[in-house]
Amino acid sequence: MKAATGGLVTRLSYNNDILFRINNITDSHALLHGEDVRLVADAPLDDLQVVEERDLEKRRKQVKEKEDYSFRLFRQDYQLMKEKRDYESTAGYHHDSSYFQIPARVLHLDGDRLYLKKCIDVYQQIGLQVHGVHLNEKDMPLEIAGLVEKIQPDIIVITGHDAYSRNKGMKNDIRAYRHSKYFAETVREARKVIPHLDQLVIFAGACQSHFESLIRAGANFASSPSRINIHALDPVYIAAKVAYTPFMEKVSVWEALRNTMTGEKGLGGVETRGLLRTGMPYLKEEEAEQL
């Protein structure tokens, strides 16, 4: 079976380790986007192997099990945080007054349209308000300031695809990365609008991204300290942890990473204040109309 744009393939030279989607074909090479990890790669057509249906089902089942496990861990963590908030909001006593919460707003920029949809589905499952935007990574620095002014987000996720190439330089050279410099520029532009790390929480990066540059640019969390691949949904879980942590509490880096699928080798950051604000009393619509 011949490889075609949009088809799912693996690379023979890498022992068929990662499932890719063919983004574009030029001459004898293909531009590949990871199907489950945020990696972009080039490969000669004769190095590609089209994935058979049986193998595809097996791979997708393994990924789904991993995603479901991570989601269950987050839900357990969320339930514990909710019980703690319930207790503290009522000072440990049961009474008739109920509280309300002001949720964090998330602006999610993604270089991959399919990943963006997948991430938005998860944001909605966990109850977060999200504004998703599909942009080419190179265009993100040009658009971010206007989006921050328009959306007024509490959290920004800047992600897509990335990759380190040994042929382009050493690991400490940001020019050796496909999109890291654009992610870093986007973070810097966002920080020109809102400089404070606790007023605007930023996650930036994708697979193998230049972690140090992203943190220096002003990101609270970024990928990838060990230059490894990260899962498509990892940024969502970090955003959710910050969003559901009360603003009087800090989010340690380990707490932010523990429910991700990649962990500390692929993700890192700095201590950050939570964003959830709780108030009371909660008024029903008919009560509010009487005021």
Side-chain angles (χ1 to χ4, degrees):
M1 188 183 298
K2 186 178 179 181
T5 301
L8 296 174
V9 297
T10 56
R11 294 176 296 179
L12 296 170
S13 59
Y14 285 81
N15 297 317
N16 305 305
D17 58 344
I18 295 175
L19 183 65
F20 287 96
R21 181 176 5 104
I22 298 178
N23 183 261
N24 191 28
I25 295 177
T26 56
D27 298 327
S28 60
H29 280 71
L31 178 65
L32 309 174
H33 285 180
E35 183 69 1
D36 303 298
V37 295
R38 291 185 173 277
L39 180 67
V40 60
D42 295 300
L45 293 178
D46 58 12
D47 188 38
L48 302 182
Q49 179 171 306
V50 176
V51 179
E52 301 293 335
E53 189 63 32
R54 181 180 297 179
D55 184 29
L56 180 59
E57 289 180 6
K58 180 180 177 182
R59 287 173 180 267
R60 284 180 168 166
K61 182 180 178 182
Q62 292 172 342
V63 170
K64 183 69 164 54
E65 288 175 352
K66 194 173 182 180
E67 290 176 356
D68 288 347
Y69 178 69
S70 184
F71 186 75
R72 285 197 303 272
L73 287 178
F74 174 80
R75 293 295 300 180
Q76 292 172 8
D77 195 28
Y78 169 78
Q79 188 61 35
L80 289 174
M81 289 190 291
K82 184 178 184 301
E83 290 173 2
K84 182 180 178 182
R85 290 197 304 273
D86 290 347
Y87 182 87
E88 292 177 346
S89 297
T90 60
Y93 296 100
H94 295 285
H95 53 72
D96 294 334
S97 295
S98 56
Y99 61 86
F100 62 90
Q101 294 174 341
I102 301 176
R105 289 187 300 275
V106 181
L107 170 60
H108 184 114
L109 305 187
D110 210 310
D112 189 297
R113 193 182 300 276
L114 296 179
Y115 279 176
L116 176 61
K117 183 181 183 304
K118 193 172 185 179
C119 288
I120 288 176
D121 288 344
V122 177
Y123 283 121
Q124 292 175 343
Q125 286 181 55
I126 58 184
L128 279 180
Q129 181 182 353
V130 60
H131 185 96
V133 180
H134 171 244
L135 282 173
N136 185 292
E137 289 86 351
K138 295 180 181 180
D139 295 329
M140 291 179 179
L142 306 175
E143 301 289 339
I144 186 62
L147 287 168
V148 172
E149 294 284 1
K150 178 181 177 181
I151 307 301
Q152 295 289 299
D154 304 294
I155 302 172
I156 300 179
V157 172
I158 301 163
T159 188
H161 292 282
D162 206 355
Y164 163 69
S165 175
R166 288 191 299 269
N167 296 330
K168 294 181 180 179
M170 303 291 287
K171 284 188 175 182
N172 61 357
D173 185 354
I174 197 171
R175 294 172 296 182
Y177 297 77
R178 187 179 290 266
H179 290 141
S180 289
K181 63 180 179 180
Y182 302 114
F183 293 145
E185 288 174 13
T186 307
V187 174
R188 281 192 289 270
E189 291 300 317
R191 285 292 175 218
K192 288 179 182 178
V193 183
I194 304 178
H196 200 288
L197 269 68
D198 289 327
Q199 291 179 348
L200 177 65
V201 175
I202 299 177
F203 173 93
C207 283
Q208 303 177 12
S209 290
H210 196 283
F211 171 78
E212 298 89 333
S213 291
L214 299 178
I215 293 296
R216 284 197 298 267
N220 299 69
F221 300 95
S223 61
S224 167
S226 297
R227 306 304 194 260
I228 67 170
N229 299 330
I230 71 168
H231 191 275
L233 298 178
D234 281 337
V236 177
Y237 289 117
I238 290 181
K241 178 64 179 178
V242 176
Y244 283 121
T245 298
F247 86 101
M248 290 298 288
E249 298 179 14
K250 70 178 182 180
V251 181
S252 72
V253 178
W254 169 242
E255 286 175 339
L257 304 186
R258 67 180 180 179
N259 293 332
T260 64
M261 282 166 270
T262 305
E264 70 272 16
K265 288 187 177 181
L267 305 161
V270 297
E271 290 181 337
T272 299
R273 189 183 295 278
L275 292 174
L276 183 69
R277 290 180 180 268
T278 300
M280 64 183 305
Y282 170 76
L283 298 179
K284 296 179 180 178
E285 287 188 15
E286 58 270 20
E287 294 174 335
E289 288 175 357
Q290 295 173 5
L291 295 178

